[in-house]
Amino acid sequence: MAGLSTAELVDIALEMAEMRTLPADSAVYVEGTDLKRVMMGIDIGPAELLLARQLGCDGVIAHHPAGGSATLNFPEVLTRHVELMVEHGVPATAARDAIQGLLTRSLLRAQSANHDHTPSVARLLEMPFLNIHLPLDEVGRRIMVKTIQEAVEPLGDEARVQDAIDALMTLPEFAGAATRIMVPVGAVDQPLGKIAVVHGAGTNGGYAVARAYFDHGVRTVLYIHIAPEEAERLRREGGGNLIVTGHIASDLVGINRYVQALEERGVEVVRMSGL
């Protein structure tokens, strides 16, 4: 059976996420064709590329950005937060204001990054290499949204935060996770109310984005991770519930479906770095 090209690997992810073009946080660093045995991990660096060569892999897929345009242009995908906020009733102006600090910090980090470090190793090894970030997170976000909705809609106003957590625990990624789902703001016995699953927007929105949701009618926000000091600030101020589902377990919801799609097409996937 013929292998897949890097372009085909991208197309599969885009089709699953119902996207037309590769987002700014994803990139093909070294193109390749007829890939039959690929290594895939959440984070890939030079050591992992060398390991892939030693293990006889003919391509490598990272989830997180690994340099190049995916690092330099990463701030562009943060505007997805605005789209999600507006979908949940936050006014566009308030939504744009909420991401300004996050956007500035991301732009400055991109300026300081050695963005060609890992891609240069892939080129020297002549190892086909790409990363697919937002599309797989979007696949995961939709699964999480559907799973929660199906569980809590029959409960109506009686739905509690714990009901959303129980729904997520029916997904194998959370049921088997080394981490546990937490509620650092609010409590599990509080009314769930309107919930926003904030995933697939580059990174979490921190204090400002969660605050914007709380201030505009969203009772519960779900992040996959958050800085402790930002969670503490939200806890002190109150106004809603924050569910934190765990970074790696949450990323795997979308990643595992993608790996399955590759394997169904005859590609052997060597799992590592969180998979």
Side-chain angles (χ1 to χ4, degrees), residues 94-188:
R96 287 192 292 268
D97 288 345
I99 70 164
Q100 288 309 304
L102 178 64
L103 190 60
T104 298
R105 291 191 297 272
S106 183
L107 285 165
L108 292 172
R109 281 194 292 266
Q111 286 279 43
S112 68
N114 182 358
H115 56 85
D116 195 44
H117 181 61
T118 301
S120 69
V121 175
R123 291 195 302 271
L124 289 170
L125 290 172
E126 297 183 347
M127 175 65 75
F129 180 39
L130 66 156
N131 92 282
I132 304 174
H133 191 218
L134 195 148
L136 303 189
D137 284 349
E138 175 62 15
V139 171
R141 185 190 70 84
R142 293 182 183 188
I143 291 170
M144 293 164 70
V145 168
K146 181 180 179 182
T147 299
I148 293 172
Q149 284 181 341
E150 290 179 348
V152 305
E153 282 182 355
L155 301 176
D157 293 340
E158 297 301 313
R160 302 286 162 171
V161 173
Q162 186 64 53
D163 294 313
I165 295 172
D166 291 343
L168 291 173
M169 290 300 292
T170 66
L171 295 173
E173 290 79 10
F174 296 115
T179 54
R180 62 185 180 90
I181 297 175
M182 301 175 65
V183 183
V185 181
V188 297

Side-chain angles (χ1 to χ4, degrees), residues 23-98:
D25 64 348
S26 306
V28 177
Y29 307 104
V30 178
E31 295 180 352
T33 58
D34 197 26
L35 308 182
K36 298 177 181 178
R37 188 169 197 254
V38 301
M39 172 184 282
M40 185 168 182
I42 291 178
D43 294 293
I44 297 291
E48 290 77 22
L49 292 170
L50 287 166
L51 177 61
R53 171 58 54 81
Q54 291 177 345
L55 295 177
C57 297
D58 48 24
V60 179
I61 307 170
H63 178 50
H64 290 153
S69 63
T71 293
L72 292 173
N73 299 332
F74 178 83
E76 294 178 21
V77 304
L78 298 175
T79 58
R80 175 67 176 142
H81 276 294
V82 175
E83 297 172 20
L84 290 173
M85 280 187 279
V86 170
E87 287 176 13
H88 287 84
V90 179
T93 300
R96 287 192 292 268
D97 288 345

